[in-house]
Amino acid sequence: MEEYTIERGGAKATVCSRGAVVTSWVIPTAPPFNIIDGYRSRDEVEEGDGCRSAILAPWSNRIADARYTHADIEYDLGTDEDGRREALHGLVTEADFTVVDQSHSAISLATVIDADTYPHRVRIVVTYELGQRADSWILTTRIKGYNLGTGPTPMGLGWHPYICYDGPRDQAYVTLPARTTIRTDDSLIPLEGDLAFASLETYDPVTGLATIKPLENLDTAFSDLTATPGEEALVTATLHHGSGAKTTMVATAPASFTKASGIVHLFTGEVLENRPGESLAFEYCQFMTDAFNRAECRDQLEVGPGDTRSMTVSLIHTPSP
């Protein structure tokens, strides 16, 4: 397990080779502010509590009963250490990544998924890069999955950073262009078919935004997002801190946008073992939970042999005036 540092303009981020996770991102305000609530020790990395900054591949969140079928073959992902069958957050959260490229302000790490619980070998490459604007600091995460196999394989990517609150938590809120929330059962698996999707009452058609507050007891996915048009459609969501600072997430939208794809997931973390409720998991996922078992995701998930699936997420932090 190794740790690496990238820097730009006085900002510094640390990256751990186990899971290719960001463990901190400190910007040079007065006093310096650590935006990412990542693992704070080797023990925390090995415990994996909260999947802090986890790279989610080749699926995000859960798979119902830890089973799915692809190309008429059923795959059993087994039982977790705690006895549950939820197949949480893919196959690379505990993988060892190797550095394949590094500069002063960027780093790329890679690993290969080669498991009997997944149809084909896949190479996952994660790149982190620091950036800066006149009034903002930027951390960009790029994830690419390369299908190394001889046939198509399902693949959906996601990223699971926790953002530290700047100022009082009870004054923080999130705005995002979501019109729908995803309804789940007690195991946090989305309900079947259209029952999974419910209109989001706080969506304002005038502004095109929904406001999520208070940030308490949430483990909720939001979908049916409006993306900005352009060469590469983007989804934007913003955490408004109690101090007046803002952390904005800008993510690439899928080529074909549906209620089941392009998901912002908010988790307030009161159930965590370490630092419960002290930060917000501000996640972006290409597909909804249990996508491998949902008919509306099947075609979009497929990545052909030799093909690639990519996702880019930037966190843009603007300190309080």
Side-chain angles (χ1 to χ4, degrees), residues 17-101:
S17 62
R18 178 70 52 82
V21 295
V22 174
T23 54
S24 68
W25 173 32
V26 180
I27 60 171
T29 50
F33 179 55
N34 183 12
I35 299 169
I36 295 287
D37 185 8
Y39 299 124
R40 297 187 183 178
S41 68
R42 185 186 183 98
D43 286 344
E44 284 196 12
V45 174
E46 292 179 343
E47 290 168 5
D49 177 56
C51 294
R52 296 177 183 271
S53 299
I55 301 299
L56 313 181
W59 68 82
S60 56
N61 293 306
R62 295 161 175 81
I63 290 181
D65 195 35
R67 291 184 173 92
Y68 69 96
T69 300
H70 181 262
D72 297 324
I73 299 174
E74 183 178 286
Y75 295 89
D76 187 340
L77 296 159
T79 303
D80 299 339
E81 289 184 4
D82 58 9
R84 291 183 290 185
R85 293 183 58 86
E86 58 181 6
L88 188 60
H89 293 328
L91 296 171
V92 302
T93 57
E94 298 180 0
D96 289 316
F97 281 71
T98 301
V99 174
V100 293
D101 192 25

Side-chain angles (χ1 to χ4, degrees), residues 156-194:
L157 306 174
W159 187 37
H160 198 299
Y162 286 72
I163 308 302
C164 294
Y165 296 111
D166 188 2
R169 170 185 170 180
D170 60 5
Q171 295 179 25
Y173 62 96
V174 169
T175 55
L176 71 169
R179 289 165 287 191
T180 300
T181 187
I182 295 179
R183 300 166 63 201
T184 65
D185 62 18
D186 292 341
S187 300
L188 298 177
I189 298 298
L191 301 182
E192 294 186 8
D194 290 339

